[in-house]
Amino acid sequence: MPELPEVETIVRGLARDVRGLRIEAVTVLRPDLIEGEAGEFERGAARARIGTVERRAKNIVFHLEENAPDDRLIVNLGMTGRLLVMDPASEEPAHLGVRFQLEGGRVLLYQDVRRFGRLQLLSSEAWEARSSALGYEPLDAAFTPTALYELARSSRVAIKSWLMDQRRVVGVGNIYASEALFRARISPRKAARRLTRAEATRLHQAIVEVLTEAIEFRGTTLLDYRDSAGEKGDFSRRLRVYGREGEPCVVCGSPIVRIVQGGRSTFYCRVCQRSR
DNA sequence: AGTGTATCCTGCAGGC
DNA sequence: TGCCTGCAGGATACAC
C-alpha cells in the first residue's frame, strides 16, 4: 500500500516522536510478520534505544543503539501495514501485530490487516548487503535522466511494470507509476528499451515531481494508509489518472482507461499517452 | 538472465 | 440477508 511518499511521511513522524527513546519491551502477537523467530526478535529489540530513523526504498530503517545484538530494525509495510505511535490510555487497534513498549509510556504499534508486511532485525552489514541490491533512490542526485535511459535500455518489459521493479528505481509503486507516466505522456505499455532520450528525460522529471509533491501532501490515502499519528494523506485529490477509470482526462477530456499489467491495474489516457 | 504468473491474507463493494 | 466474484499502496518464489 505505501509507496515512497507514504513511507517518507511515516519516517518523518517517527523521527520526531520515537527517536532517542528506549524500547522497554516487545510483544509479537502475529509471529508470521517476523522474518526469523519471533522470540528472538522480541529479545533482540527489547532494551535497545532507538536512534536515527530513515527510509530506504519502501523500507523503514530504525538504527538501534545500546543492548542490541543486531543494530537495524527493518520494517516493510506491505499493502496494509501501519506503524502507529499511541498514548498508553488509547485503545489498541484490531489486527495488531507487534507492540513496542517505549520509555515514557507511549507505545509503538505495528498493525497489518493483510499481514503482507515484514519486520526484521539485521546487523548493519547484512542490511547494507540487502540495500545494495536495490535500485536508485529517485530523489537522490545520482538518479539522472541518463541513468534512467541507460537502465531502461536493457529491458523489454512494459515501462509501467519496469518502474515498479525495485531493483532499478525504488519507491515507485502502483499509484505513482501510473501518475508519473501520465505526467510524462508515455504509454504504460511501451517497452522500457524503446523509450527515447526525450521520453526518459520527461519520465525522470515526472517521477521526481510527483513523488516530491506527494511528500508535501503527506502521501495518498485511498483506503488504508495512515501516518504514524494515524492521519490520512492529502494527495488523493491530486491524482490525475489512478482510480479514475471512465472519468475525463484532466488534459484532453477523453475517458481514462484501466488495463491490467502483471496482475496490477494501470490507469492512463489513450490520447495523451499515445507513444508506443 | 529476464519475464510472466501464482501466492501470501483480510475486507469491502457490487451483482444477483 | 446471504453468497459469490473481483479488487486492493507489495514482494517473492517459482516455472519457462
Side-chain angles (χ1 to χ4, degrees):
Chain A
M1 102 191 231
E3 306 180 35
L4 186 151
E6 292 74 36
V7 178
E8 181 65 31
T9 302
I10 291 166
V11 162
R12 291 179 184 183
L14 293 171
R16 184 188 61 223
D17 294 335
V18 305
R19 183 177 179 173
L21 298 183
R22 204 164 64 85
I23 299 169
E24 293 184 338
V26 182
T27 311
V28 174
L29 297 97
R30 305 294 315 220
D32 56 346
L33 292 167
I34 307 298
E35 199 72 51
E37 207 272 310
E40 217 169 289
F41 179 90
E42 289 176 336
R43 291 188 294 276
R47 308 196 59 77
R49 188 175 297 282
I50 299 173
T52 308
V53 188
E54 55 190 15
R55 179 191 59 74
R56 168 71 171 128
K58 298 171 193 168
N59 300 288
I60 298 161
V61 182
F62 294 86
H63 291 230
L64 301 182
E65 303 164 352
E66 305 172 24
N67 310 311
D70 286 317
D71 47 6
R72 295 291 182 273
L73 165 60
I74 313 301
V75 180
N76 186 295
L77 300 168
M79 290 280 220
T80 52
R82 295 176 180 173
L83 273 174
L84 299 164
V85 181
M86 297 182 76
D87 291 322
S90 45
E91 197 183 331
E92 292 191 340
H95 304 289
L96 183 58
V98 183
R99 182 194 304 111
F100 299 88
Q101 183 65 50
L102 301 177
E103 162 189 22
R106 297 176 100 185
V107 289
L108 173 62
L109 303 178
Y110 181 79
Q111 179 208 18
D112 195 342
V113 171
R114 293 174 71 183
R115 303 203 305 281
F116 287 175
R118 288 294 178 271
L119 294 84
Q120 186 169 22
L121 290 172
L122 287 175
S123 67
S124 46
E125 294 80 14
W127 165 242
E128 286 306 323
R130 276 257 306 275
S131 177
S132 68
L134 295 168
Y136 284 103
E137 279 292 337
L139 302 182
D140 276 2
F143 179 59
T144 61
T146 301
L148 174 59
Y149 176 71
E150 296 294 342
L151 261 186
R153 278 174 60 180
S154 64
S155 173
R156 2 167 59 85
V157 180
I159 187 64
K160 155 50 161 53
S161 303
W162 187 91
L163 277 177
M164 292 175 63
D165 187 335
Q166 304 295 298
R167 293 171 302 181
R168 281 85 169 235
V169 181
V170 302
V172 177
N174 208 36
I175 291 180
Y176 298 110
S178 281
E179 293 296 314
L181 288 165
F182 175 77
R183 288 176 180 227
R185 307 191 308 277
I186 297 167
S187 168
R189 306 167 67 169
K190 182 161 188 154
R193 68 188 331 176
R194 294 189 56 239
L195 285 196
T196 65
R197 265 199 178 272
E199 285 173 333
T201 301
R202 292 208 304 273
L203 183 54
H204 172 272
Q205 184 179 345
I207 291 168
V208 172
E209 279 182 6
V210 76
L211 295 178
T212 303
E213 284 176 34
I215 291 171
E216 285 167 13
F217 282 83
R218 298 168 35 262
T220 299
T221 295
L222 294 178
L223 295 168
D224 301 299
Y225 167 69
R226 298 292 187 277
D227 71 15
S228 61
E231 299 291 327
K232 298 182 181 183
D234 292 329
F235 196 69
S236 322
R237 288 177 290 110
R238 329 246 346 158
L239 297 176
R240 298 181 189 172
V241 287
Y242 188 88
R244 307 200 104 88
E245 182 181 13
E247 295 180 32
C249 168
V250 293
V251 172
C252 77
S254 64
I256 300 301
V257 296
R258 171 184 171 273
I259 60 171
V260 175
Q261 295 180 290
R264 314 292 302 276
S265 290
T266 302
F267 299 88
Y268 75 112
C269 173
R270 284 213 170 102
V271 176
C272 295
Q273 296 168 264
R274 205 173 324 110
S275 86
R276 284 198 59 193

